[in-house]
Amino acid sequence: EVLPAETRAGASFRPVEIRFDIQEGPQTIVTGASVEGAKALTSGQLASRLALSAGRPFYRPQLAADRDALQRAFRNLGYQNASVISQLAFADQQRQVVITWTVNEGQQILVDRLLIKGNQRTGIDLIRRELTIRAGSPMSDEALIESQRRLAATGLFRRVRVSELPRTGSNRRDVLIDLEEAPATTISYGGGLEVGRIARADEDGQAADFLDVAPRGFFDVSRRNLWGKNRSVTLFGRVTLRRAGNQDSPDGGNA
């Protein structure tokens, strides 16, 4: 509804009042949800991944989310081409619905070889220890992502990529761990001012507090990934220059 014109801050405008009229219609409740065609996972394991279960209100966008959850569960078991289809059976003038999920698992894909590329200083055993995917295990999307995250979290690599290598005519795939190591030596330095109150003798020989401003600096050298075993050593030093006669003596070379 367009309201009469108003003027504020020298500007004229026509305010509009908006009203929403809602007709709810019948509420649809899920009266049953079942999964057919699955062999790798039990009905209980699949039901725990479904948000649309018996007694819940039916929400169509959640249907797509449940389908993605089921597909993800099978992909993490190596069924990379698993298909999940939903069928809806409405009753009682669309007040009730039964959901039937039909699963076609397809062929299970297994990991054949782990190919590690790009490591020059980092030991193979250290890299394999961080991997959550193993030769002979199912080709799991979750395991690929977790392996990449754990390798990146070590801080030893500038770039980490864990990917599946395609192969036709076989249910086995190689996994490539492509690495780019970070620099082994890092150097950092900086400076600033230290401001504080210190006690020293005044002209009468009495102790008094004075404002003291002193420049300071720091320097450190770090060597990472010693002997390829994710060990490091750091040498750190700092120095503060104070005026002669202060009670605090200069500190330098602290490690």
Side-chain angles (χ1 to χ4, degrees), residues 30 32-36 42-54 56 62-74 84-86 99-103:
V30 179
S34 60
V35 182
E36 299 178 353
T42 65
S43 57
Q45 291 173 323
L46 294 172
S48 64
R49 291 173 165 82
L50 297 176
L52 292 178
S53 56
R56 298 284 186 88
Q62 186 60 51
L63 191 70
D66 284 355
R67 181 183 66 247
D68 293 342
L70 291 177
Q71 285 184 329
R72 187 163 53 250
F74 286 102
V84 180
I85 301 175
S86 63
I99 306 174
T100 303
W101 296 97
T102 303
V103 177

Side-chain angles (χ1 to χ4, degrees), residues 38-224:
K39 300 177 181 179
L41 293 170
T42 65
S43 57
Q45 291 173 323
L46 294 172
S48 64
R49 291 173 165 82
L50 297 176
L52 292 178
S53 56
R56 298 284 186 88
F58 177 69
Y59 183 52
R60 192 170 290 275
Q62 186 60 51
L63 191 70
D66 284 355
R67 181 183 66 247
D68 293 342
L70 291 177
Q71 285 184 329
R72 187 163 53 250
F74 286 102
R75 287 182 64 87
N76 286 332
L77 292 178
Y79 297 95
Q80 301 294 307
N81 299 317
S83 65
V84 180
I85 301 175
S86 63
Q87 294 178 334
L88 306 178
F90 292 94
D92 191 17
Q93 298 182 351
Q94 293 195 342
R95 295 179 183 274
Q96 298 178 353
V97 63
V98 175
I99 306 174
T100 303
W101 296 97
T102 303
V103 177
N104 183 8
E105 295 176 345
Q107 188 180 40
Q108 186 182 36
I109 305 300
L110 303 176
V111 178
D112 190 5
R113 297 176 299 173
L114 299 177
L115 307 177
I116 301 175
K117 171 188 174 184
N119 60 309
Q120 299 177 357
R121 298 179 302 271
T122 309
I124 293 292
D125 292 340
L126 186 151
I127 297 173
R128 292 184 181 275
R129 187 169 64 245
E130 299 299 329
L131 297 176
T132 58
I133 194 165
R134 301 285 185 270
S137 64
M139 182 67 71
S140 166
D141 290 349
E142 190 176 88
L144 291 176
I145 295 173
E146 179 63 15
S147 296
Q148 182 168 303
R149 186 197 66 81
R150 292 182 56 169
L151 285 172
T154 63
L156 300 176
F157 307 102
R158 177 180 297 169
R159 180 178 58 84
V160 178
R161 183 182 179 188
V162 181
S163 59
E164 170 189 352
L165 296 180
R167 182 191 299 177
T168 58
S170 174
N171 70 327
R172 290 184 173 270
R173 303 285 190 273
D174 294 334
V175 174
L176 175 64
I177 298 96
D178 190 6
L179 307 169
E180 182 180 346
E181 294 181 333
T185 303
T186 57
I187 300 175
S188 60
Y189 55 88
L193 293 175
E194 180 178 340
V195 181
R197 302 192 69 86
I198 63 173
R200 69 170 185 259
D202 59 12
E203 296 178 355
D204 298 330
Q206 301 294 324
D209 287 339
F210 291 87
L211 183 66
D212 181 71
V213 179
R216 66 182 307 171
F218 73 90
F219 179 86
D220 74 59
V221 179
S222 298
R223 181 73 178 181
R224 308 181 64 179

